[in-house]
Amino acid sequence: MASEITYAEVKFKNESPAPVVKVPPETKKPEHHPQKYPLWLPWLISLLLLLVCFALVVIILVFHFWHSSDQPRALQQQFSEWKCDSGLPQSTDRGWTCCPEGWRRFQRSCYFLSPDTMNWVESEQNCTGMGSQLVVINSKAEQEFLSKQIKRYPQREYFYIGLFADKEGQWQWVDKTPYNVTAAFWREGEPSGGVGEDSTVIYSPEKTLNNWIDSKSILTRYRICEAAAVTV
């Protein structure tokens, strides 16, 4: 006899319901408002940047000025006050050309007309001590410039320049520039070749450009010193 299979429906009363997952409500992001700066702040920043740039330019110019290898450092060390001009006439060079305060500039040189007198050797030593030399005249234009300058001091008649005679009649410049008699500016009758007249002065009262006179180097005269202008 086949056994009968009985099916029964069973229900569990304590069955837990499916868990309900609660999603937290979306949080609202706070709105970002641009921060407001004072209207003068950009101007202040611009001014500070401008001052910084200006300071850098000054530092660079000073550094170049004092460390320029092609300039007489002795002259730079002697003087703390300088007068500078922007560029040179008829020149495309940029920058500044400077001479010590109280000196006169012509082209690329600075000139000092002394207010006191010394003999020729002392005059040359004094110029050298300032990082310069007794003036060496290389052109008619330079001679014209100096002739005009000395006439501003009519009470100073004689100025030593850097031309001297090592031997009688053998003239030479202090910087070893070759002496060219055709480019000299001797006064009529000069050099006279007198005893001991082995130095040269510019005679201020002379009305022409030919105002050089030979002189005894032991006499005390005014002097003209020359140095290369400093460019920055």
Side-chain angles (χ1 to χ4, degrees), residues 6-21:
T6 306
Y7 297 91
E9 183 179 353
V10 180
K11 291 184 179 182
F12 299 95
K13 293 182 179 181
N14 296 330
E15 184 179 2
S16 301
V20 179
V21 179

Side-chain angles (χ1 to χ4, degrees):
M1 177 177 171
S3 60
E4 295 181 0
I5 299 175
T6 306
Y7 297 91
E9 183 179 353
V10 180
K11 291 184 179 182
F12 299 95
K13 293 182 179 181
N14 296 330
E15 184 179 2
S16 301
V20 179
V21 179
K22 294 184 178 180
V23 179
E26 183 179 357
T27 56
K28 187 177 182 182
K29 296 182 180 180
E31 297 181 2
H32 293 280
H33 297 283
Q35 186 177 358
K36 294 183 178 180
Y37 296 98
L39 295 177
W40 49 264
L41 186 59
W43 292 98
L44 178 60
I45 295 175
S46 300
L47 179 60
L48 291 175
L49 291 175
L50 182 62
L51 291 175
V52 170
C53 293
F54 179 77
L56 289 175
V57 170
V58 171
I59 292 173
I60 293 173
L61 287 177
V62 171
F63 180 84
H64 180 77
F65 178 80
W66 290 109
H67 295 274
S68 179
S69 60
D70 59 344
Q71 301 300 340
R73 295 190 179 183
L75 183 71
Q76 298 173 1
Q77 293 171 357
Q78 287 290 329
F79 300 95
S80 58
E81 296 184 4
W82 294 74
K83 181 179 180 181
C84 300
D85 298 322
S86 178
L88 291 171
Q90 299 178 350
S91 172
T92 58
D93 294 344
R94 295 182 179 180
W96 296 82
T97 305
C98 306
C99 288
E101 188 68 35
W103 291 51
R104 313 292 172 80
R105 183 177 70 80
F106 177 70
Q107 295 179 350
R108 296 185 180 275
S109 294
C110 304
Y111 302 88
F112 173 73
L113 280 67
S114 73
D116 59 337
T117 60
M118 297 180 178
N119 64 39
W120 191 91
V121 173
E122 292 171 340
S123 295
E124 172 60 11
Q125 292 174 346
N126 178 263
C127 292
T128 302
M130 293 190 295
S132 60
Q133 64 185 15
L134 280 175
V135 62
V136 175
I137 301 174
N138 297 304
S139 67
K140 181 180 179 181
E142 188 177 18
Q143 171 71 6
E144 290 176 341
F145 170 78
L146 293 174
S147 297
K148 290 179 181 178
Q149 293 300 314
I150 62 177
K151 290 187 182 302
R152 299 176 63 177
Y153 306 98
Q155 73 280 10
R156 307 179 195 176
E157 292 188 352
Y158 299 97
F159 288 84
Y160 277 127
I161 63 176
L163 184 64
F164 68 100
D166 186 30
K167 296 180 180 179
E168 185 176 352
Q170 296 183 6
W171 296 93
Q172 59 181 308
W173 292 102
V174 292
D175 68 346
K176 308 301 181 183
T177 296
Y179 169 71
N180 183 358
V181 66
T182 61
F185 298 91
W186 293 106
R187 195 182 185 199
E188 186 176 355
E190 299 289 342
S192 61
V195 177
E197 295 183 342
D198 55 357
S199 62
T200 307
V201 295
I202 291 181
Y203 181 56
S204 176
E206 174 62 46
K207 296 181 180 180
T208 70
L209 282 182
N210 296 324
N211 53 17
W212 296 2
I213 298 176
D214 58 356
S215 169
K216 293 182 179 180
S217 58
I218 61 173
L219 298 177
T220 57
R221 310 286 196 188
Y222 297 98
R223 62 195 173 278
I224 303 177
C225 301
E226 177 186 11
V230 175
T231 56
V232 295

